[in-house]
Amino acid sequence: MQFTEGRDVDGGYTELDGYKQPKLNFTSSIPPDRAVADSSMARLPHKIDVHHHIIPAFYKQALSGIDLSTKILFPSWSPKASLAFMDSHNISTAILSLSAPGAAVAGDRDDVRALVRTWNDYAFELRFAHPKRFGFFAALPGLDDYEGVVSEIKYVFDNLEADGVTLFTSYGGQYLGAKAFESVWAELHKYNAVIHVHPNHSFAAPFTTPCLPQPLIDYPHETSRTASDLVLSGRKRQFPNCKVILSHAGGTLPYLADRISVLSETIFAGVLDDGQSPSAGEQVMEDLKTFYFDLALGGSSTVLDLLLKWAPNDHILYGSDFPFAGSAAERFNATLDGYQMESQVKNMCYQANALQLFPRLGLHDQ
């Protein structure tokens, strides 16, 4: 793969003849690692944003060769823009991640692996420059590239000390509970990994009309499908060390959870009920509630009413979906900040629950 020389908005990386290690030289006017201190938000707890994307120039360049007719829009981004957004929304730390369509845009296996490695090194350098402000979920090759995935898992945890990894909802027409991916989950289990699951385009519902781009409706459904697949396949219970965060308040899962669990009594009773465990339906509901749920694009009062009632409150996390959410992030954040809930619960959702998953972030305050 050949790339023209590029330069990030904040200066600092150069690419010639393929992917190269990013060299960051931030000159942001925002002091690095400054705690957010806007007096208008002083009464609200600081947020830890677990759903915050970055779009480095080298990734945008990789996107230039693909068909974007599916209406995924890629906004401009820079480290300055992330920091400015964080400061204006009372976000102390953002865990950075790669959004759909991910590294698959690079094409063949070797190029995908190279793009993944470059993105991970870039995110590591960005966290190194702003250790109190940024963490990162490492990118991985497609799960059907088992050798490449395992190699990258070891690299990001052993060498980069990544805060977790990003997985997409499906790979090659299979959801995350597929038997083919069992060995990947076993590897993540060894590292007690935090996994942020982000939806990608549905293989079951191809783009059909400009009125229904997949992020509008299908992305929440894809999250629900892969979460249900993880539970009903037994994969979620098989690897309890893996802490799995579902994007966008779990998609439609909280709404469908009772339907899934009740119907599983009939459909899966012979598979899930071993006579020693809870009934099939009870077991399914129990496992569905072991997921974590980020609030990206889910900060409406309707969603919050349901999620806070159904999900364990210590499994709800703040997320912004910056920069893809655009002006919607402003609206959902305003609703969330104004939503009436006990101060302890709000603190849990904004930061305390995330600190349980990422305890290193709490060390910065000591």
Side-chain angles (χ1 to χ4, degrees):
M1 238 173 158
Q2 298 294 313
F3 292 90
T4 57
E5 183 173 358
R7 190 166 184 78
D8 203 350
V9 175
D10 280 287
Y13 88 85
T14 300
E15 303 170 47
L16 290 170
D17 300 321
Y19 299 111
K20 301 296 181 184
Q21 169 88 10
K23 296 180 172 61
L24 303 187
N25 180 25
F26 293 101
T27 57
S28 173
S29 60
I30 301 169
D33 309 326
R34 175 173 65 81
V36 182
D38 190 321
S39 61
S40 67
M41 297 181 286
R43 290 172 293 178
L44 292 170
H46 294 161
K47 302 181 182 87
I48 296 175
D49 185 355
V50 302
H51 193 139
H52 191 111
H53 299 301
I54 63 174
I55 313 171
F58 61 82
Y59 183 66
K60 263 203 166 180
Q61 186 177 349
L63 289 167
S64 63
I66 69 167
D67 176 17
L68 294 180
S69 61
T70 48
K71 305 302 180 186
I72 292 183
L73 301 178
F74 288 84
S76 60
W77 173 85
S78 70
K80 277 186 181 179
S82 279
L83 290 166
F85 175 84
M86 292 163 63
D87 286 339
S88 67
H89 290 84
N90 206 28
I91 298 168
S92 58
T93 307
I95 311 297
L96 310 175
S97 59
L98 178 64
S99 186
V105 300
D108 66 35
R109 187 188 68 180
D110 290 341
D111 286 337
V112 168
R113 291 181 179 182
L115 179 54
V116 162
R117 179 61 57 89
T118 297
W119 193 97
N120 288 333
D121 287 344
Y122 180 92
F124 170 79
E125 295 279 356
L126 190 52
R127 186 186 67 184
F128 184 81
H130 303 269
K132 295 182 183 179
R133 304 308 305 276
F134 293 135
F136 75 98
F137 292 122
L140 295 176
L143 298 196
D144 46 359
D145 176 14
Y146 175 71
E147 183 179 305
V149 169
V150 170
S151 175
E152 199 66 21
I153 288 172
K154 292 177 178 178
Y155 175 73
V156 299
F157 285 121
D158 294 341
N159 296 85
L160 305 185
E161 297 183 351
D163 295 290
V165 300
T166 294
L167 293 183
F168 294 112
T169 46
S170 65
Y171 296 88
Q174 297 188 90
Y175 290 112
L176 293 180
K179 183 70 174 177
F181 305 147
E182 183 177 12
S183 296
V184 174
W185 285 104
E187 192 67 27
L188 292 169
H189 183 79
K190 293 178 187 176
Y191 285 96
N192 300 307
V194 178
I195 298 107
H196 187 250
V197 175
H198 194 282
N200 57 352
H201 270 39
S202 170
F203 61 88
F207 176 78
T208 56
T209 168
C211 297
L212 295 174
Q214 290 215 15
L216 192 65
I217 294 175
D218 289 294
Y219 274 21
H221 289 320
E222 285 299 282
T223 300
S224 305
R225 289 184 182 112
T226 208
S228 300
D229 191 52
L230 281 167
V231 168
L232 296 175
S233 68
R235 212 69 64 222
K236 186 69 175 65
R237 184 166 287 234
Q238 183 181 1
F239 298 110
N241 290 356
C242 295
K243 280 88 57 187
V244 182
I245 304 170
L246 301 179
S247 296
H248 310 128
T252 56
L253 188 66
Y255 179 82
L256 295 173
D258 282 312
R259 176 188 175 97
I260 295 167
S261 62
V262 170
L263 285 178
S264 67
E265 287 277 9
T266 300
I267 300 172
F268 293 103
V271 177
L272 297 177
D273 191 353
D274 58 8
Q276 305 297 320
S277 304
S279 70
E282 291 174 337
Q283 179 176 314
V284 167
M285 182 63 80
E286 182 180 304
D287 290 349
L288 290 174
K289 290 187 177 186
T290 63
F291 289 109
Y292 290 80
F293 305 87
D294 81 41
L295 293 175
L297 299 178
S300 71
S301 58
T302 303
V303 172
L304 290 168
D305 286 348
L306 173 59
L307 189 63
L308 286 165
K309 183 177 180 180
W310 177 78
N313 287 181
D314 60 354
H315 278 217
I316 300 174
L317 308 160
Y318 172 77
S320 70
D321 215 340
F322 179 84
F324 289 93
S327 61
E330 308 288 338
R331 296 176 61 182
F332 283 115
N333 270 294
T335 302
L336 179 61
D337 284 343
Y339 185 84
Q340 295 299 308
M341 67 177 89
E342 294 181 8
S343 58
Q344 180 183 3
V345 175
K346 182 159 283 192
N347 184 67
M348 290 166 63
C349 297
Y350 278 22
Q351 60 172 249
N353 295 339
L355 288 173
Q356 292 298 310
L357 290 178
F358 312 108
R360 76 165 186 86
L361 299 180
L363 298 177
H364 295 309
D365 298 327
Q366 297 178 4

